[in-house]
């Protein structure tokens, strides 16, 4: 079950392009697939998956992840896996 939904996102400038159910880009875990930081469905999936993996239950944690992705994660990190690792390593040092 997702902790956050579209209405919970801090930023409202995302595009909302959906994938078909059999799209090979959707694997169920953050992986080497590139994360489109402006695609709402990808951001929602990524945030909810990160929350689940790290057993975070607060919506404030979801907002922190969203803000970190938007403002702190280096732009040269593009895969879901690399972004996930960067957030994990830098969680305590984030300004959010």
């Amino acid at each position: 079950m997702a902790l956050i939904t579209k209405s919970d996102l801090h930023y409202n400038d995302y595009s909302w392009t959906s994938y078909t159910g059999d799209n090979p880009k959707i694997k169920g875990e953050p992986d080497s697939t590139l994360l489109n930081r402006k695609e709402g469905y990808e951001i929602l999936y990524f945030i909810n998956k990160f929350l689940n993996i790290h057993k975070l239950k607060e919506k404030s944690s979801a907002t922190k992840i969203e803000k970190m992705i938007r403002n702190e994660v280096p732009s040269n990190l593009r895969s879901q896996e690399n972004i996930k690792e960067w957030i994990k390593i830098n969680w305590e040092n984030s300004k959010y």
Side-chain angles (χ1 to χ4, degrees):
M1 182 174 173
L3 178 62
I4 65 162
T5 62
K6 180 178 180 177
S7 63
D8 297 313
L9 291 173
H10 177 76
Y11 300 104
N12 60 8
D13 59 349
Y14 295 108
S15 62
W16 295 92
T17 308
S18 63
Y19 294 121
T20 59
D22 60 351
N23 190 307
K25 290 177 74 174
I26 301 170
K27 300 195 184 348
E29 294 293 331
D31 57 16
S32 63
T33 304
L34 301 183
L35 178 65
N36 181 340
R37 299 176 196 214
K38 290 291 195 154
E39 177 54 55
Y41 289 116
E42 289 185 31
I43 292 296
L44 269 179
Y45 157 79
F46 181 89
I47 292 171
N48 280 306
K49 199 60 164 172
F50 189 96
L51 294 169
N52 186 18
I53 289 168
H54 295 285
K55 300 183 181 0
L56 299 168
K57 305 289 184 199
E58 302 295 323
K59 288 191 180 186
S60 60
S61 294
T63 301
K64 179 175 179 173
I65 295 165
E66 183 185 11
K67 288 179 176 181
M68 287 177 77
I69 291 169
R70 182 67 67 99
N71 301 305
E72 294 182 324
V73 174
S75 60
N76 65 317
L77 298 180
R78 300 184 55 223
S79 76
Q80 294 176 23
E81 185 61 39
N82 289 340
I83 293 170
K84 179 182 82 167
E85 275 305 303
W86 190 94
I87 292 171
K88 183 175 127 184
I89 291 167
N90 293 280
W91 185 261
E92 295 300 323
N93 297 325
S94 172
K95 65 182 176 184
Y96 302 107

